Amino acid sequence: DVHYDVHAVEKKWLPVWERLDPFRADDAVVTSGEKPKRYALTMFPYPSGDLHMGHAEVFALHDVIARYWRFRGYEVLNPMGWDSFGLPAENAAIRNDEHPATYTYANIETQFESMKRYGISFDWSRRLHTSDPEYYRWTQWLFLKFRERGLAYRKNSPVNWCPNDQTVLANEQVLADGTCERCGAEVTKRELTQWYFKTTEYAQELYDALDGLQATWIDKVVNAQRNWIGRSEGAHVRFDVDGHDPITVFTTRPDTLWGATFMVVAADAKLAAELVSDEQRQALEDYVADVRKASDIDRLATDRPKTGVFLGVHAVNPVNGERIPVWASDYVLADYGTGAIMAVPAHDQRDLDFARAMDLPVRRVVDTGEDNPEESGVATSGNGTYVNSGPLDGLTDKTAGIHQVIELLEADGHGSGTVNFRLRDWLLSRQRYWGAPIPVIHCPVDGEVPVPEDQLPVELPELRGADLKPKGTSPLGAATEWVNVSCPTCGGPATRDTDTMDTFVDSSWYFFRYLSPHDDSQAFDPALAAAWGPIDLYIGGDEHAVLHLLYARFFTKVLRDMGLIDWDEPFSAYLSQGKVINNGRKMSKSLGNGVSLGEQLDSFGVDAVRLTLVFASPPEDNIDWADVSPAGSAKFLQRAWRLSGDVTSAPGVDPATGDVALRKATHKTVHEAAQLLESYRFNVVVARVMELVNATRKAIDSGCGPEDPAVREAAETVAILLSLVAPYTAEEMWERLGHEPTVAQVPWPTVDEALLVEDAVTAVVQIQGKVRGRLEVSPDISEADLEAAALADPAVQKAIDGREVRKVIVRAPKLVNIVV
Ligand code: ANZ
């Protein structure tokens, strides 16, 4: 009885929980308003291999909250599923000459078994896989709805291309160093016709709503989204061009217009080809061939040598009538702003470098007191006095300058104030097999024709092994029978779209499908979305800061505009966990410092591993596995468990007559735990439970003894609190304390406020070093209150005997020293 077998306990309770099914969320009690709801969400995994330490950490943290909310009387929706489309399954299928589904569903089963053993309080009745036709049918349906609203469209433009994965990538999937977020290959550009979601339509709203998320999301993620959306205030300025349509530029500094001495058009933009003179055409074409090889990151680098081609045309500066040359260069990007700029070399370094390289004029229009850029070669961008700027001359306020020029431009039709966003539309089509087919048919007569809704899902054709090898066009093209169909509109011969959707499309709405995972009449039930939404806490890695979290916000706003939901932000609060590292380094195969979750669970048991992960640090900090002790956690759990065997009073005994000191410790622990849990300080909660275990042990061995009802109350409290992180141990304790399973369903212990009041302490009052009085005071009395109480005490008054008090030294709560 003094040692408990963690593995036997795991085997004992799993089937009991499965039978009792205590974590199934009941829609009815929430839709009826009978119980308040909480929707707890943690990011669903990608099914590659078994679960790892990172999953173990995030699930353990997540479960603390889900279980706590249940204790507090909420009906908790805590679903789980798999993000099961994507490249790794496809690559494995090519290697092993099999179907991607083989790898995918085998891994899902492995992870499912591990998750169950890990004891997370998921509602498994809502399990979903995004690669199931029942799921992607609705991904396709949503795509068509977005398309109906003009939010999904096809266009031809230069796109990011991963030469290794042989597929296009969204901007969000290209890392800051210009490499592919999946495989690390250098991303290049290709001109291709691709499908896009019009995220830009929601740019302003996605940006503005970040203010409201600031308080409940972590700063890092909010800021990353702000930068990614990249809102810039400025102006569109129209320059007339001899013999051509005018060129419009986007500038954040219309006030520097008098310093615009030339213009630059993105070399690879259509505009350049339209503008170029016959003499310069060949030069431009040669140049563009070179430009295509460079990434955006390289192109924007300030230290990149400036290159370009004169287009052989001139434009007219609208504020001073000056004729200025129009150039093409790679440092202007085709898909930002309007793809053309007015160059102000004195105040923009890249323009200045270009002017110097091409021998173009430089004119300072803001005197900042620094060296004149015309001579120094260093552009100045700070505040100063306007010069050479007509009506602006002498003005020193930049905001006023900008406003004045915008007014001028608006008055004569040469421009207007505008807001520009860095955010691009989301490129969603992929030339890979293992994804949801795009439900569109291309007909030579009717063009793009959506697959009729009653024909969804468009299921993937059976392809395997070598058929799936990436070849730059979609593998689906090889499934001739699948591709060739008759047009839903005219009945003539037509072909299916052969691209599949980015897997980020699947994960942009999975939290809606959890509401109605088995509904085959709709994507989700709007009534359930109204009842359960939005998600109260989302926990997951912040590597998704501008990918998944932004896409999910976009989807949510569109669903709102479709009238399916009445809330417009999906995640009311968002928490991101730190990483589990080892010996100060990220775990990796090459460093050989990986820690196997399975081995840890086998050695120490589920509870000890979970407890270690929760106790190690605040949730957002990294955990170094070299610094923690799962063996220590296992030992502590033994200590806690032993309490339950030592209690000798009967279940249901009234604790009111129990030992007051232990009762106070118990009630204080519950009270503080609630506050700590609300602010996600889970590690401190564990520390408090450890203290309570110690206090209870002491009470049993050398205090009130095992028969005292306060000991039962303390042990039961330990079981309840411990169930947040160590459900097996807690369940076992609960049973040994004479209760029915499951401890997960009991109410949160009621705190007796009277027991939270600290005992009084005795303060000593001295006069000239002699003790003249004693006061019973609160332990947290202030210095001022203690001084006043001492001076008002009759015994002290008598001892002072009318003499003048010269000095009072207070050491709250214990001592007052009076000098007369
Ligand atoms: C004139 C000017 C003068 C500018 C000056 C800056 C400083 P953000 O803040 O990132 O929005 N720009 C506009 N379109 C561009 C493109 N397609 N490729 C490269 N650069 C482009 O930056 C806006 C500024 O970046 C614009 O304001 C423009 O240069 C440049 F003293 O216009 B500015």
Side-chain angles (χ1 to χ4, degrees), residues 737-769:
L737 286 162
H739 298 293
E740 292 290 314
T742 152
V743 66
Q745 279 173 316
V746 305
W748 186 250
T750 311
V751 173
D752 181 346
E753 297 287 331
L755 290 167
L756 296 180
V757 180
E758 294 277 355
D759 293 329
V761 294
T762 306
V764 170
V765 187
Q766 300 182 336
I767 296 171
Q768 317 295 80

Side-chain angles (χ1 to χ4, degrees), residues 232 250-253 256 300 331-334 336-337 339-342 344 347-348 350-351 420:
S232 294
F250 171 70
T251 175
T252 46
R253 295 295 305 273
T256 62
L300 284 173
Y331 81 95
V332 173
L333 299 180
Y336 187 75
I341 65 154
M342 61 182 224
V344 184
H347 306 296
D348 183 296
R350 285 172 305 172
D351 295 347
N420 190 63

Side-chain angles (χ1 to χ4, degrees), residues 496-517:
R496 288 194 190 280
D497 198 295
T498 55
D499 284 352
T500 54
M501 292 188 230
D502 182 1
T503 55
F504 279 102
V505 180
D506 310 328
S507 56
S508 291
W509 74 281
Y510 76 111
F511 45 93
F512 289 102
R513 187 63 184 167
Y514 281 142
L515 302 170
S516 320

Side-chain angles (χ1 to χ4, degrees), residues 57 162 319 404 430 445 524 635 688 777 808:
E57 184 198 7
C162 174
V319 288
Q404 210 167 313
R430 295 290 178 274
V445 179
F524 62 92
K635 238 187 190 153
R688 293 284 181 276
V777 298
V808 184

